[in-house]
Amino acid sequence: MFGNGNILHIPRYEFEDGTIKGTGKFLIVIFNNNDVSIIASLTTSQNHIPDDLKKHGCINSDYISVSCYHFEKSKKITTSDFSFWKDTFVYFSNNVFEKKIDIIEEKYGDTIELKGKLSDEEYEEFIYCIYKSKFVNRGIKKILEKHLENICN
């Protein structure tokens, strides 16, 4: 369930401030650290990207001070034909985090749904985009650098 590149849907996701998203949230597993913890990110359909910069994939712009990955609606991105039904974004500012797997399982249990696993190409592009972002802390970048070396060789 918590494998690298997996897209999970959590129907009643609770944010750090205690608010609950009733329609749920998608969580993408960026890296699984020996089944103890994961580095993950949440998705959103909120678009803060000007049309001239909006494209599928990595968007890093100093011009508008944004760093994100855009999943185009209806574009097949997984090995199981899953696609988001809306344009979907993963913004990296304050949204790449480490969580212990047992805490996630304890909190959400059987409600977590595996929607698919990013294709190898999509996963590599996603990871590299996160690694290149100026909004991701150095500790996570070091982990991702080693991971990129392993998956790209």
Side-chain angles (χ1 to χ4, degrees):
M1 169 102 37
F2 295 99
N4 294 338
N6 282 356
I7 300 173
L8 308 176
H9 182 257
I10 301 174
R12 292 186 46 82
Y13 185 84
E14 184 177 344
F15 291 94
E16 296 296 320
D17 68 1
T19 58
I20 294 176
K21 178 78 171 171
T23 58
K25 289 298 282 181
F26 287 98
L27 180 141
I28 301 178
V29 178
I30 297 167
F31 179 71
N32 182 319
N33 188 7
N34 298 320
D35 291 324
V36 174
S37 64
I38 57 170
I39 296 173
S41 192
L42 297 173
T43 67
T44 182
S45 59
Q46 301 299 309
N47 178 10
H48 303 290
I49 308 298
D51 287 342
D52 61 325
L53 293 177
K54 192 170 128 181
K55 63 178 175 45
H56 181 86
C58 191
I59 302 170
N60 279 314
S61 172
D62 289 333
Y63 170 68
I64 59 170
S65 192
V66 71
S67 182
C68 70
Y69 197 90
H70 171 219
F71 294 101
E72 231 172 44
K73 71 178 177 182
S74 303
K75 182 175 174 69
K76 179 186 164 192
I77 57 171
T78 67
T79 56
S80 62
D81 292 335
F82 174 81
S83 62
F84 290 107
W85 60 281
K86 291 181 180 180
D87 277 340
T88 300
F89 302 85
V90 176
Y91 294 97
F92 303 137
S93 180
N94 300 315
N95 190 33
V96 176
F97 50 86
E98 190 166 5
K99 287 266 191 196
K100 298 223 177 273
I101 291 173
D102 59 349
I103 291 172
I104 296 170
E105 287 177 327
E106 183 179 304
K107 189 169 200 164
Y108 300 110
D110 294 337
T111 67
I112 302 171
E113 304 167 75
L114 174 62
K115 293 296 186 178
K117 177 181 173 60
L118 291 174
S119 68
D120 289 345
E121 181 181 349
E122 195 79 44
Y123 178 68
E124 286 176 24
E125 288 177 17
F126 181 59
I127 295 297
Y128 187 68
C129 186
I130 296 166
Y131 173 72
K132 295 302 279 182
S133 172
K134 68 181 180 182
F135 294 108
V136 175
N137 76 48
R138 278 185 255 147
I140 288 178
K141 282 189 175 198
K142 280 184 178 182
I143 293 168
L144 293 182
E145 183 174 28
K146 288 179 186 173
H147 183 54
L148 278 166
E149 288 172 1
N150 289 334
I151 63 175
C152 292
N153 290 327

